[in-house]
Amino acid sequence: MARETPDPATETALERLIWPLRLTWVGLWAERLARAFWPVWTILITTLAALVFGLQDLLPLDWVRGGLAVAGLGALVALGLGLRGFRRPSRADALGRLDASLPGRPISSMIDQQAIGTADPWSRAIWQAHRARMAERAAQARAVPPDLRLARRDPFALRYVALTALVVALMFGSVWRLGSIAGLGPGGAEAMVGGPSWEAWAQPPGYTGKPSLYLNEIDTPDVTLPVGSRVQVRLYGEVGDLGVTETVSGRPVGEPVPGPAQDFDVRQTGSITIDGQGGRAWRVMALADAPPAVSTEGEMSREADGRMKLAFSAQDDYGVTGGRAVIALDLAAVDRRFGLVAEPEPREPVTLDLPLPISGNRAEFSETLVDDLSKHPFANLPVVLNLTVTDAAMQEGSSPTLKVVLPGRRFFDPLASALIELRRDLLWTAANGPRTAQILHAITHSPEGLFRNERAFLRTRVLMRRLDAEAATLTPTARDEIAEQLWEIALMVEEGDLASALEALRRAQDRLDEAIRNGASPDEIQKLMDEMREALNNYMRELAEEAQRNPDQQQSENRQTMEMSGDQLQEMLDKLQELMEQGKMAEAAELMEMMRQLMENMQVTMGEGQGQGPGNQAMRDLSETLRDQQGLSDDSFQQLQRGPNGEPRGGEQPGEGEGQDGRSLADRQRDLKNRLNGMNDSQLPGAGSERGESGRRSLDDAGRAMEEAERALRDGDLPGALDRQAEAMESLREGMRDLGEAMAEEQRQQNGQGEGEAFGRADPNSQRDPLGREPGETGRIGSDRNMLQGEDVYRRAQDLLDEIRRRSGDLTRPEIERDYLRRLLDMY
């Protein structure tokens, strides 16, 4: 066969493949070297990481030499296995890999020669066209990257572990420590020609934030190191050629320090000397860590909710790590009167953690300690307070002793304040149990005008009975439980029954008035002002809802009227706050009394013509049932008060005392239960609606409570009967509220929305006063047309009677006013 003439296109294509072929060849070398020798460099990198970390300076010399021998032997074995399995890549291998990466293996096709048909010009032309096409494909060749993945050969990723260890060693270790290897073998000092014969490092404590010092590079004779710095000295060469003398660690002078590796801490100012050829000496100034300091800033203050607030500042040269406030009772400063006459029970001081900055520098900062200790026995008593801070060296710094009255929540209601004082006496010592029970008897003996919250009174009576039974043998656990109940009752008395917007408003007025008269702090007055604004808004919203439920259809639309809107009331509140901010407390008290009178006389004028139909009749029956239940509860309470411990008079059986109509309390309770259960469900409003069904469920709850009250009355359990009667009245109120809303919704659907309420309407052509009242017969203020219908009738009447009784007993009021109030009481 004649030799085929080289094709110019093929030659050009092969010339272009030189660099891709070379790079592919290099990749094959890297690939086979990595697969054959990865155990070798893994062992070497691991050993290097250990040496950079300085393990040779920490472990015994024999261990270090043994470890290096094992590492060297392992590296030699891995090297032998690698050489045995290594195959040197050839140019043909690289060309074959490059050709395999191209479609159709064009490089092989270009190198091949035509076997048959060489004499046929058409066959040669086809062959040349084929080679030209393969040359075009080969011109697109790129170097094939090597496959360096070793996961199958290294399933535990040991190579990555070694690399990670080396990176960490380089970050936290020192490459200078590799020099200590020279001193491990015999004649190491001679092998280190021109190199260091010793090395020394000084590492300050980590909390100082100061860097480590390589003492070989410090030529100055004076060195300043923080106390607690760790000095490490490594001596190389023959034993005895070099020595170390130091007076900074506090060891006895002249005591020999054996061994080529020496570590000691800087405890005092002194010197460090490396004796021998090439040695050096330093005068070390030990920089002592100053203890931290803390001090209070300003006086301890009280937040509106009773929390204590104390600003303080702390300093330390390297940073404060912690702090605490210790509060102990200042017994010498306590006013030992009343319940504090007895010796107090020992109590551990209160310890609070001081707040520290979350981020930033703690070398100098200011923070505020805020905590609520209102329920602690030390609250509102003289205490001594000490602030203490610590640094990283566990040194402590304390502030001067601060003598203050520990802030706690203030109670402005006199009854709530008395209950809190009883709680304080009980926590002072359990021996005050009988005295506390006696005072509770006095408080609950005549509750009229004192307890405005029925639940608070009932809970106080139950608590009084428990204290009577356990006062002589009061355990700490029982004492703490009673103290917690006294706290809850005081809160109930102070904050009032929030279910009633009017009661909440009156309560807010009383508390604000008491705060003004007793000189409360601005924060406390502001909090009470906010509560009064909220209570006023809730009350006016209730008035609006009441007006929607009972739209006024009688007043003429064209009548000229005067109105007092909610905005005008808010203006009065703003004026009141302005007077208090200006310090005009007398004028503020006068305006407060004016607002009180206005709030008592505020009402919604309602028209006649309402109350026609079965729904309204049912609401009136429920209102009458609620009124009778309240009267029955009052009679039950009066019978409970007869005689010591609630025993009835004479020979009456408990629960069988007669009322004004001659029937027993149990029979009257049974009749009320039957009256409630006998109401026709079809006559109740809101059948099928969510509010209507909720009201009916509340009435069912009231019926069950009445049944339990009847059973308690027949069994002579008057306290239990009072509890059940209170539940029945509350369920009745809830049911009437839901049914009233359901009825109002029905009326709105039938007749459209009613007209809104008008506060304080006054017709200049009529005899109405500016608060919308008309004079009634027999000289009474108001008329039956303006009486509220529904659940609030009896409660508001009771509230008015309670207020009249309170004012009639106020000796500061004029005698003529008290006579008038007493005549009102005689009338009703």
Side-chain angles (χ1 to χ4, degrees):
M1 181 189 310
R3 184 174 179 82
E4 186 174 352
T5 303
D7 182 30
T10 301
E11 294 295 331
T12 302
L14 291 175
E15 290 178 358
R16 293 178 178 176
L17 291 176
I18 292 177
W19 281 108
L21 180 61
R22 289 178 179 175
L23 295 176
T24 302
W25 197 0
V26 172
L28 277 176
W29 273 96
E31 181 179 315
R32 295 188 181 183
L33 286 173
R35 292 179 179 179
F37 300 106
W38 71 267
V40 179
W41 56 260
T42 299
I43 295 174
L44 294 178
I45 290 176
T46 303
T47 305
L48 180 61
L51 295 176
V52 173
F53 263 128
L55 293 180
Q56 71 276 14
D57 299 332
L58 302 177
L59 300 177
L61 184 60
D62 294 339
W63 288 26
V64 176
R65 288 175 176 174
L68 290 177
V70 171
L73 181 61
L76 289 176
V77 172
L79 180 62
L81 294 176
L83 291 174
R84 181 180 178 182
F86 179 72
R87 295 293 180 268
R88 180 175 179 274
S90 63
R91 186 176 184 278
D93 294 336
L95 188 61
R97 172 168 287 192
L98 184 62
D99 191 22
S101 66
L102 299 173
R105 304 182 69 89
I107 299 178
S108 301
S109 299
M110 290 191 303
I111 298 176
D112 291 343
Q113 295 183 358
Q114 185 176 2
I116 59 175
T118 57
D120 184 3
W122 294 104
S123 178
R124 289 198 305 273
I126 293 174
W127 178 253
Q128 293 297 331
H130 169 67
R131 294 181 64 182
R133 184 177 301 171
M134 293 298 103
E136 293 177 358
R137 289 186 181 180
Q140 306 297 325
R142 298 290 183 272
V144 180
D147 185 8
L148 300 178
R149 292 173 295 180
L150 302 175
R152 297 180 61 182
R153 290 177 170 79
D154 183 16
F156 299 104
L158 299 178
R159 62 194 188 283
Y160 293 132
V161 174
L163 285 173
T164 303
L166 180 60
V167 172
V168 174
L170 292 175
M171 292 175 62
F172 300 100
S174 174
V175 294
W176 295 104
R177 292 178 175 175
L178 294 174
S180 61
I181 302 176
L184 298 178
E190 291 78 8
M192 295 176 58
V193 179
S197 58
W198 57 269
E199 285 186 296
W201 300 267
Q203 298 178 348
Y207 66 83
T208 64
K210 296 184 178 297
S212 300
L213 299 179
Y214 185 55
L215 297 181
N216 292 58
E217 298 179 348
I218 298 178
D219 298 329
T220 58
D222 296 326
V223 179
T224 301
L225 295 175
V227 172
S229 297
R230 186 75 168 173
V231 178
Q232 298 175 324
V233 181
R234 300 295 180 263
L235 305 178
Y236 311 130
E238 294 295 336
V239 177
D241 290 347
L242 297 174
V244 177
T245 303
E246 56 87 12
T247 60
V248 297
S249 64
R251 289 185 294 191
V253 179
E255 180 180 340
V257 184
Q262 301 181 24
D263 299 340
F264 50 87
D265 296 332
V266 175
R267 298 298 179 190
Q268 61 188 18
T269 298
S271 63
I272 301 176
T273 304
I274 298 179
D275 304 314
Q277 185 178 3
R280 195 176 302 174
W282 298 274
R283 292 190 301 270
V284 178
M285 176 63 69
L287 183 62
D289 184 359
V294 61
S295 60
T296 59
E297 295 182 348
E299 298 180 354
M300 180 180 291
S301 60
R302 183 203 318 265
E303 294 288 289
D305 55 359
R307 292 182 300 171
M308 58 166 285
K309 185 176 181 181
L310 178 64
F312 68 93
S313 60
Q315 306 85 29
D316 185 67
D317 42 9
Y318 297 117
V320 175
T321 59
R324 65 184 183 275
V326 179
I327 304 174
L329 181 65
D330 187 4
L331 188 59
V334 176
D335 185 7
R336 304 291 295 275
R337 295 187 299 170
F338 307 115
L340 305 181
V341 174
E343 288 300 317
E345 297 179 0
R347 287 190 179 273
E348 294 294 328
V350 180
T351 301
L352 304 176
D353 292 331
L354 294 181
L356 301 179
I358 298 177
S359 60
N361 186 14
R362 293 185 178 179
E364 184 174 0
F365 63 90
S366 296
E367 284 288 343
T368 302
L369 173 64
V370 179
D371 209 318
D372 188 1
L373 298 177
S374 298
K375 299 174 72 173
H376 195 273
F378 294 166
N380 297 313
L381 289 176
V383 295
V384 290
L385 183 143
N386 291 281
L387 302 183
T388 304
V389 292
T390 58
D391 60 8
M394 303 308 297
Q395 300 182 103
E396 291 189 351
S398 300
S399 66
T401 300
L402 182 65
K403 294 187 176 183
V404 295
V405 174
L406 184 63
R409 174 164 181 167
R410 296 182 63 181
F411 289 80
F412 297 104
D413 187 283
L415 176 59
S417 179
L419 293 174
I420 291 299
E421 184 174 340
L422 290 179
R423 176 183 179 274
R424 181 203 64 186
D425 297 344
L426 196 60
L427 292 175
W428 180 264
T429 175
N432 283 331
R435 177 181 180 274
T436 303
Q438 184 180 10
I439 297 177
L440 288 178
H441 274 285
I443 291 176
T444 58
H445 177 66
S446 298
E448 294 85 356
L450 185 61
F451 283 91
R452 293 190 291 182
N453 188 301
E454 187 173 1
R455 284 187 175 274
F457 169 74
L458 294 176
R459 290 190 60 178
T460 305
R461 292 286 297 185
V462 172
L463 186 64
M464 179 190 68
R465 289 193 294 270
R466 177 182 178 182
L467 198 55
D468 283 338
E470 303 179 9
T473 59
L474 194 60
T475 63
T477 301
R479 186 264 312 277
D480 294 341
E481 292 177 357
I482 293 175
E484 180 64 24
Q485 294 183 36
L486 281 172
W487 178 271
E488 295 175 359
I489 295 172
L491 285 181
M492 192 181 302
V493 173
E494 177 77 7
E495 297 176 354
D497 185 6
L498 298 181
S500 169
L502 180 58
E503 180 65 21
L505 178 58
R506 289 176 175 173
R507 181 67 57 178
Q509 291 173 338
D510 292 344
R511 295 177 64 194
L512 180 58
D513 186 49
E514 191 72 18
I516 294 174
R517 299 180 186 276
N518 292 343
S521 66
D523 290 341
E524 292 172 330
I525 290 181
Q526 182 60 47
K527 180 183 179 182
L528 295 175
M529 280 293 302
D530 295 339
E531 291 181 359
M532 184 171 176
R533 289 180 186 274
E534 182 179 0
L536 178 60
N537 292 333
N538 293 337
Y539 179 56
M540 296 183 69
R541 182 167 57 252
E542 180 183 308
L543 291 178
E545 294 175 357
E546 181 69 20
Q548 290 181 359
R549 291 193 295 266
N550 301 279
D552 187 0
Q553 298 180 355
Q554 183 184 13
Q555 296 203 8
S556 173
E557 296 182 358
N558 57 4
R559 175 184 299 175
Q560 297 180 357
T561 62
M562 294 171 55
E563 298 184 359
M564 176 172 288
S565 65
D567 293 338
Q568 292 173 320
L569 293 175
Q570 292 294 344
E571 290 178 3
M572 296 182 68
L573 286 177
D574 295 338
K575 181 62 176 177
L576 177 63
Q577 184 168 3
E578 180 182 353
L579 290 174
M580 289 187 294
E581 291 175 353
Q582 294 175 358
K584 301 178 180 178
M585 294 303 175
E587 298 180 14
E590 293 179 1
L591 182 58
M592 191 71 208
E593 183 63 24
M594 184 186 304
M595 292 185 63
R596 183 193 304 277
Q597 297 293 336
L598 181 62
M599 292 298 105
E600 291 175 356
N601 293 327
M602 181 180 292
Q603 58 182 312
V604 178
T605 57
M606 297 186 300
E608 296 179 347
Q610 305 300 319
Q612 307 299 327
N616 290 280
Q617 181 60 42
M619 295 298 293
R620 285 195 294 271
D621 294 341
L622 289 174
S623 178
E624 183 179 357
T625 302
L626 176 61
R627 182 168 58 252
D628 293 343
Q629 180 64 70
Q630 179 68 56
L632 178 58
S633 179
D634 292 343
D635 293 343
S636 301
F637 175 67
Q638 291 176 3
Q639 182 170 345
L640 178 64
Q641 285 189 310
R642 296 173 186 170
N645 299 324
E647 292 292 334
R649 292 181 301 182
E652 293 178 355
Q653 296 298 322
E656 297 297 329
E658 294 184 356
Q660 295 179 354
D661 55 0
R663 293 179 299 163
S664 67
L665 299 178
D667 292 340
R668 291 170 59 190
Q669 186 65 75
R670 180 197 58 199
D671 294 342
L672 286 176
K673 178 195 66 175
N674 294 336
R675 185 198 305 177
L676 180 63
N677 295 335
M679 289 188 178
N680 191 351
D681 183 74
S682 60
Q683 294 181 348
L684 296 175
S689 64
E690 181 180 355
R691 286 292 187 182
E693 296 303 320
S694 176
R696 285 166 170 79
R697 288 192 297 269
S698 298
L699 295 183
D700 293 339
D701 294 339
R704 286 190 291 270
M706 289 180 178
E707 184 177 359
E708 295 175 0
E710 178 192 355
R711 188 180 304 113
L713 288 172
R714 296 195 186 281
D715 294 341
D717 183 12
L718 287 175
L722 285 172
D723 291 341
R724 302 292 80 76
Q725 288 171 348
E727 293 178 3
M729 287 185 290
E730 184 173 352
S731 298
L732 272 174
R733 292 190 182 101
E734 292 178 359
M736 294 174 63
R737 183 183 299 111
D738 291 337
L739 293 175
E741 293 179 359
M743 185 172 63
E745 182 64 26
E746 290 179 351
Q747 293 176 354
R748 283 194 295 268
Q749 293 177 356
Q750 295 175 2
N751 305 324
Q753 295 291 337
E755 296 178 359
E757 76 277 10
F759 298 102
R761 296 185 177 225
D763 185 359
N765 299 321
S766 69
Q767 296 182 353
R768 290 175 178 262
D769 67 4
L771 294 177
R773 302 171 299 185
E774 291 183 357
E777 301 82 4
T778 70
R780 291 179 299 162
I781 296 178
S783 66
D784 293 342
R785 290 184 300 171
N786 290 330
M787 291 293 292
L788 290 177
Q789 304 294 329
E791 54 169 313
D792 287 339
V793 174
Y794 188 78
R795 179 175 58 81
R796 294 201 177 184
Q798 184 65 42
D799 291 342
L800 288 174
L801 287 176
D802 292 341
E803 183 64 19
I804 292 174
R805 291 192 186 100
R806 185 183 70 82
R807 296 191 180 192
S808 64
D810 188 357
L811 299 179
T812 61
R813 294 182 177 274
E815 183 64 25
I816 186 173
E817 179 182 351
R818 295 172 59 203
D819 291 340
Y820 170 70
L821 294 174
R822 283 194 289 269
R823 289 197 301 272
L824 286 178
L825 290 176
D826 294 339
M827 181 183 300
Y828 293 103

